[in-house]
Amino acid sequence: MAQQEDVFKKLISHSKEYGFVFPSSEIYDGLGAVYDYGQNGVELKNNIKKYWWDSMTLLHENVVGIDSAIFMHPTIWKASGHVDAFNDPLIDNKDSKKRYRADVLIEDQIAKYDDKINKEVEKAAKRFGETFDEQKFRETNPRVLENEAKKEELHTRFAKALNDNNLEELRQIILDYEIVCPVSGTRNWTEVRQFNLMFSTEMGSTADGAMKIYLRPETAQGIFVNFLNVQKSGRMKIPFGIAQIGKAFRNEIVARQFVFRMREFEQMEMQFFVRPGEELQWFEQWKQARMKWHKALGLGDKKYRFHDHDKLAHYANAATDIEFEMPFGFKEVEGIHSRTDFDLSSHEKYSGKKIQYFDPELNKSYVPYVIETSIGVDRMFLSILAGSYCEEELEGGETRVVLKLPPALAPVKLAVLPLIKKDGLPEKAREIMDNLKFDFQCQYDEKDSIGKRYRRQDAIGTPYCITIDHDTLNDNCVTIRYRDTMAQERVPIAGLEAIVRDKVSLKNVFKKIAES
Ligand code: GAP
């Protein structure tokens, strides 16, 4: 675990050193849980968004996009349930004066049982070597079984407390399991209270009578209130989806873990409108489709898992998370929810406008049901960074830090490096760059030794470096160096575009999704 935390710290400092993520307002000592994306971070983030957007709108004929405003009529948040029910249970430690989410403290406690079980499995795997049967061990080892039973007991009690909205019971669990404040180490806890996560501001001047409005805590409501606009103007037939990427804001109590939990973040959400009664079938379909989308990036299938919700949100009749193995354990990156007709019906009620779809095949009108896929751009970004970060020992005792980013997402696709800064090599390098810069994000670098320049590109995940040497001037060939293997080969300049395009195009990732 300590080793994992160490990796996480390194990842955070690497992100800053190489222009991926900076703390917001840093020269004023920062602002809690708000971050800025740097020159490489914004490219990676844009590539992630493009991967999502294109997969939704190009691969699905019946999914279209919108871009709704962040400011919306305040009654929307009443109708959606956010004014009354968008709360987190918080608890304070009286000694450290630190505030925590009661549910997160208990979830961390549950995760400790998993850690214990995994340690037993690791120990046994080492002891038994190749003959080790992990499944049998998990099913029969008394210590594993004991920890499984304890975990299950806590989990059941916790799920019931959440579902009953029983704040006293949440506190009692914290006391019974002797959960201590990580800062003070004491169990001197306050009561558990509910805390609404929405930020509010005012629109209009006070003289006119200002209106309290909210910064949206999810982009989904912008889609719901535009359901009729899109359906009618696009002549959409059910089933169909509306996709949107945009900022969302939440006044998170426990803002930690870097860009995992931010107060200002970005979501990529898609609402898929279906016939009532068909929603669970579509839920299953989107669950599988979204998992394929993640796995197609090639970071390793074992890094992903589903986690079904213990407590369904006020609008859902089924929900699951796609979790990724972050340096701090498996954590939610995406939520897939069957939201029933809750939102559209509620907007019908609050707005007084009929929000229904006439189904020509059934010859009747109904309020459609909704399957939602909702993924945080920033969490996806973190999962990609964490899954790509490697420290490698090289021959001669040297080490290199390399981001083995999926090439289609890498901020820079190709580095163009003249071997030396004279003899016409920079001019030749510029000529190559000028040809390729319309197709790919290229970076020109002539400073320092070639080895140092390779390291700089490894550190930002550039899949290809090409070196222009004296021979290039005669044979029109360059040396291409591959990031992951560090292998080098001589290729004609005329073939470069095809080589690079083959690996960095999103098309190949989409083909993988289609084949899987
Ligand atoms: N419309 C449904 C919805 O918003 P959610 O599970 O609350 O559902 C969806 O959020 C996704 O948004 C999460 O899976 C996560 O990736 C991202 N997300 C939520 N809160 C976040 C935060 N404070 N910081 C970064 N990402 C967040």
Side-chain angles (χ1 to χ4, degrees):
M1 202 63 189
Q3 205 185 353
Q4 289 291 76
E5 277 166 21
D6 212 30
V7 171
F8 190 40
K9 278 191 194 141
K10 284 185 190 169
L11 194 66
I12 296 172
S13 61
H14 187 87
S15 297
K16 185 168 173 223
E17 189 179 345
Y18 287 94
F20 283 89
V21 181
F22 307 126
S24 159
S25 326
E26 199 185 4
I27 57 170
Y28 292 96
D29 296 333
L31 184 66
V34 186
Y35 290 91
D36 298 336
Y37 285 83
Q39 66 280 15
N40 289 315
V42 69
E43 294 291 342
L44 174 55
K45 199 174 174 212
N46 285 342
N47 292 340
I48 291 172
K49 289 196 266 185
K50 185 162 173 53
Y51 177 42
W52 184 87
W53 186 263
D54 285 359
S55 79
M56 283 294 171
T57 61
L58 295 184
L59 304 196
H60 301 278
E61 268 176 47
N62 56 353
V63 177
V64 294
I66 62 164
D67 182 20
S68 71
I70 288 172
F71 291 152
M72 290 195 272
H73 196 284
T75 311
I76 287 174
W77 303 110
K78 190 77 191 149
S80 68
H82 284 83
V83 171
D84 298 318
F86 194 54
N87 302 317
D88 273 346
L90 69 84
I91 190 165
D92 292 284
N93 182 270
K94 292 184 197 163
D95 299 320
S96 66
K97 309 272 183 275
K98 292 277 174 202
R99 183 163 283 177
Y100 300 92
R101 269 175 59 178
D103 55 335
V104 172
L105 286 177
I106 299 170
E107 275 168 8
D108 287 349
Q109 180 71 16
I110 294 174
K112 282 187 185 155
Y113 291 117
D114 276 329
D115 288 345
K116 282 186 188 164
I117 294 167
N118 290 337
K119 273 198 191 120
E120 292 291 343
V121 174
E122 268 170 39
K123 258 197 308 186
K126 265 197 201 136
R127 202 170 345 122
F128 293 114
E130 283 191 357
T131 58
F132 182 57
D133 179 343
E134 183 176 331
Q135 193 184 344
K136 191 160 173 214
F137 182 79
R138 282 182 183 272
E139 284 166 6
T140 54
N141 178 271
R143 275 185 301 275
V144 170
L145 294 178
E146 188 193 336
N147 280 309
E148 278 291 355
K150 283 186 185 164
K151 183 178 121 184
E152 194 46 42
E153 189 187 334
L154 171 56
H155 188 245
T156 311
R157 193 173 160 194
F158 171 54
K160 182 165 176 2
L162 278 183
N163 276 315
D164 296 347
N165 235 339
N166 188 341
L167 301 184
E168 273 170 32
E169 172 66 353
L170 283 179
R171 179 170 191 270
Q172 199 53 49
I173 294 175
I174 290 172
L175 296 181
D176 290 352
Y177 280 82
E178 302 187 344
I179 297 174
V180 296
C181 163
V183 175
S184 67
T186 71
R187 284 179 259 144
N188 196 5
W189 296 110
T190 61
E191 298 304 305
V192 177
R193 282 165 293 142
Q194 292 288 24
F195 177 80
N196 192 286
L197 298 182
M198 281 198 295
F199 284 103
S200 63
T201 184
E202 291 189 342
M203 186 178 261
S205 75
T206 351
D208 295 329
M211 176 157 67
K212 180 176 178 180
I213 55 165
Y214 298 98
L215 296 189
R216 65 182 178 195
E218 62 171 15
T219 59
Q221 296 305 322
I223 294 179
F224 289 123
V225 297
N226 277 297
F227 166 75
L228 281 183
N229 284 337
V230 175
Q231 192 271 316
K232 292 206 164 113
S233 61
R235 290 177 293 115
M236 306 300 290
K237 289 200 171 54
I238 276 186
F240 75 91
I242 305 179
Q244 166 157 239
I245 299 179
K247 288 267 180 161
F249 306 83
R250 296 182 190 178
N251 196 4
E252 297 283 358
I253 308 165
V254 187
R256 54 176 186 178
Q257 291 163 330
F258 195 37
V259 296
F260 182 80
R261 197 176 300 287
M262 299 158 87
R263 296 199 165 105
E264 173 183 339
F265 58 101
E266 220 168 344
Q267 289 186 315
M268 305 187 282
E269 299 202 291
M270 195 278 303
Q271 315 297 131
F272 197 72
F273 300 92
V274 303
R275 279 183 187 158
E278 292 184 358
E279 72 275 12
L280 293 180
Q281 193 180 313
W282 282 109
F283 173 72
E284 201 47 46
Q285 197 154 318
W286 277 107
K287 227 176 115 170
Q288 301 312 328
R290 294 304 303 147
M291 188 57 110
K292 275 188 195 171
W293 182 89
H294 284 277
K295 288 185 175 172
L297 288 174
L299 293 177
D301 290 3
K302 283 195 171 161
K303 289 190 183 291
Y304 302 90
R305 71 178 187 194
F306 286 116
H307 174 254
D308 294 335
H309 285 202
D310 288 324
K311 184 191 178 194
L312 290 176
H314 57 276
Y315 48 71
N317 71 355
T320 195
D321 294 336
I322 293 178
E323 294 186 337
F324 182 84
E325 192 177 14
M326 302 279 189
F328 40 90
F330 271 95
K331 296 285 169 196
E332 172 191 346
V333 172
E334 171 158 7
I336 300 152
H337 314 120
S338 171
R339 285 180 83 128
T340 67
D341 61 349
F342 173 85
D343 302 86
L344 291 183
S345 295
S346 193
H347 287 306
E348 259 200 331
K349 190 171 123 204
Y350 277 84
S351 67
K353 309 272 178 349
K354 195 171 162 194
I355 308 181
Q356 300 207 352
Y357 170 77
F358 176 74
D359 192 324
E361 282 174 36
L362 300 181
N363 196 28
K364 70 171 189 186
S365 294
Y366 53 78
V367 179
Y369 271 46
V370 172
I371 304 304
E372 163 184 81
T373 71
S374 174
I375 170 170
V377 179
D378 313 271
R379 283 195 193 174
M380 181 68 190
F381 180 99
L382 182 58
S383 71
I384 301 285
L385 269 192
S388 306
Y389 182 89
C390 297
E391 287 175 13
E392 286 181 352
E393 289 262 340
L394 303 177
E395 277 171 29
E398 219 193 315
T399 53
R400 71 163 181 161
V401 175
V402 52
L403 290 185
K404 294 190 173 174
L405 294 169
L409 302 186
V412 177
K413 309 297 189 205
L414 179 75
V416 180
L417 317 172
L419 193 59
I420 52 170
K421 271 196 268 183
K422 54 183 186 180
D423 302 341
L425 301 189
E427 290 75 11
K428 188 70 183 168
R430 286 277 176 206
E431 189 189 308
I432 297 172
M433 174 122 170
D434 284 345
N435 268 327
L436 294 174
K437 70 181 179 194
F438 302 107
D439 295 295
F440 314 110
Q441 190 65 249
C442 301
Q443 200 169 79
Y444 177 86
D445 190 2
E446 59 178 24
K447 196 167 178 293
D448 298 323
S449 71
I450 197 75
K452 276 193 182 156
R453 283 182 271 168
Y454 283 156
R455 292 291 164 275
R456 278 203 288 271
Q457 295 301 330
D458 287 343
I460 63 168
T462 306
Y464 300 104
C465 291
I466 54 163
T467 310
I468 290 87
D469 56 24
H470 291 93
D471 289 342
T472 306
L473 303 178
N474 302 319
D475 65 4
N476 269 320
C477 287
V478 291
T479 303
I480 186 162
R481 181 231 189 219
Y482 302 94
R483 177 194 68 196
D484 297 350
T485 59
M486 294 186 290
Q488 301 188 10
E489 63 179 324
R490 200 84 186 148
V491 296
I493 293 170
L496 272 178
E497 189 196 328
I499 296 175
V500 178
R501 186 179 300 287
D502 179 52
K503 280 280 175 344
V504 306
S505 106
L506 277 175
K507 195 169 163 184
N508 288 330
V509 191
F510 291 143
K511 277 192 189 153
K512 234 198 247 176
I513 297 179
E515 284 159 12
S516 60

